Amino acid sequence: MKIIKAKDYDEMSRKAANLIAAQIYVKPDCVLGLATGSTPIGTYKELVAKYEMGDLDFSEVTTVNLDEYKGITKENDQSYYYFMNDNLFSHVNINKEKTFLPDGTEPDSDKACNAYNEIIHSVGGQDLQLLGLGHNGHIGFNEPASEFPLETHCVDLTESTIKANQRFFASYDDVPKQAYTMGIKTIMQAKKVLVVVSGEDKADIVQKAFFGPVTPEVPASVLQLHPDCTVVADAAALSKVNM
Ligand code: GLP
């Protein structure tokens, strides 16, 4: 695991965007695994800026997102579908038919998850998977558990995650309580993994996830075993580790 220290959120975003841009340069028809949450927003802004400068071409890129809330419409501005369009897809020359997320509108969990696994397999898996890090160590929506979930599955979100997401919704009751998420095996099969982490509130979990024991109680800890994982974190997120 390689850890790159950035001085602040903006530098973290630039460094992460450079790594994603490098992936697109070396393989223009690459498959990017993408993430939501507040952390990657700056990374997407940097990618859009590179596109606007004429430095980046998304026309052959395919994307598969980590997760989507269950029971939310695509038009809902809190859906991850909406987020991805708003933060990236609508601003670059990507072919929207090649952008995939789990279908949150499908009420049958097995059907939704099997269909998403099929899509990921049919595009050949991710060349690069971007990840944020939840406060309890979750990646995608793989919450702390007694074992690592394998492929796309439906999860009951933990209280901590529901509370963390509450800021985006009108009230606690409006926050979806379930989500469809890629599993740990699917994430680990990505050729490269890129994690972005920012802020002092993530310092404890950074220490546990990347410097502590590998355990499904801290899902992100499994990334220590990935052969090509880079963490780009700002100084605040790294404030509890010696670097
Ligand atoms: C959500 C997403 C995760 C994300 C996490 C952290 O739960 N499903 O993919 O990494 O939030 O979000 P933030 O970057 O806003 O701290």
Side-chain angles (χ1 to χ4, degrees):
M1 171 172 274
K2 184 170 180 186
I3 304 209
I4 298 178
K5 187 174 186 172
K7 71 174 190 297
D8 55 19
Y9 179 81
D10 289 346
E11 193 179 290
M12 176 207 75
S13 301
R14 284 199 304 278
K15 286 180 188 288
N18 285 341
L19 292 170
I20 297 171
Q23 173 64 68
I24 300 173
Y25 292 144
V26 295
K27 190 176 176 193
D29 62 347
C30 63
V31 177
L32 298 179
L34 297 179
T36 53
S38 49
T39 315
I41 290 176
T43 306
Y44 294 142
K45 278 206 178 98
E46 292 291 335
L47 289 174
V48 170
K50 286 179 193 297
Y51 166 73
E52 285 172 349
M53 299 248 301
D55 285 341
L56 211 46
D57 177 10
F58 287 83
S59 61
E60 292 178 57
V61 171
T62 296
T63 66
V64 285
N65 258 77
L66 281 169
D67 46 13
E68 178 60 283
Y69 291 117
K70 180 179 175 181
I72 206 165
T73 62
K74 291 182 173 162
E75 298 72 38
N76 187 316
D77 64 3
Q78 292 310 322
S79 73
Y80 287 166
Y81 176 91
Y82 190 100
F83 175 103
M84 288 311 304
N85 280 284
D86 197 35
N87 285 290
L88 183 64
F89 301 155
S90 299
H91 306 287
V92 298
N93 65 335
I94 200 160
N95 175 354
K96 291 222 181 133
E97 290 184 1
K98 290 194 191 173
T99 65
F100 300 99
L101 290 94
D103 182 1
T105 64
E106 172 56 66
D108 180 335
S109 300
D110 285 344
K111 208 167 158 190
C113 296
N114 290 338
Y116 202 55
N117 286 331
E118 282 284 300
I119 290 171
I120 298 168
H121 292 152
S122 72
V123 300
Q126 315 91 302
D127 290 294
L128 182 151
Q129 176 66 55
L130 176 65
L131 296 173
L133 178 66
H135 286 102
N136 59 5
H138 73 239
I139 45 177
F141 268 133
N142 292 280
E143 298 279 29
S146 54
E147 55 188 34
F148 291 115
L150 301 179
E151 294 193 283
T152 310
H153 55 288
C154 179
V155 283
D156 294 327
L157 302 179
T158 62
E159 208 51 32
S160 128
T161 302
I162 296 168
K163 286 207 175 112
N165 290 337
Q166 192 178 336
R167 65 199 149 120
F168 301 116
F169 291 85
S171 73
Y172 180 90
D173 289 343
D174 291 323
V175 188
K177 309 295 184 293
Q178 288 189 308
Y180 297 135
T181 183
M182 247 184 223
I184 295 291
K185 179 175 150 195
T186 312
I187 293 171
M188 287 297 279
Q189 282 177 337
K191 293 191 185 81
K192 286 179 197 296
V193 174
L194 170 61
V195 191
V196 283
V197 204
S198 167
E200 214 180 323
D201 56 316
K202 296 277 173 80
D204 282 327
I205 195 61
V206 162
Q207 187 192 34
K208 270 197 201 151
F210 305 134
F211 297 86
V214 174
T215 161
E217 291 299 331
V218 183
S221 65
V222 74
L223 298 171
Q224 294 178 43
L225 307 177
H226 192 280
D228 190 353
C229 176
T230 302
V231 177
V232 184
D234 64 13
L238 290 171
S239 58
K240 297 218 169 141
V241 298
N242 290 326
M243 276 193 66

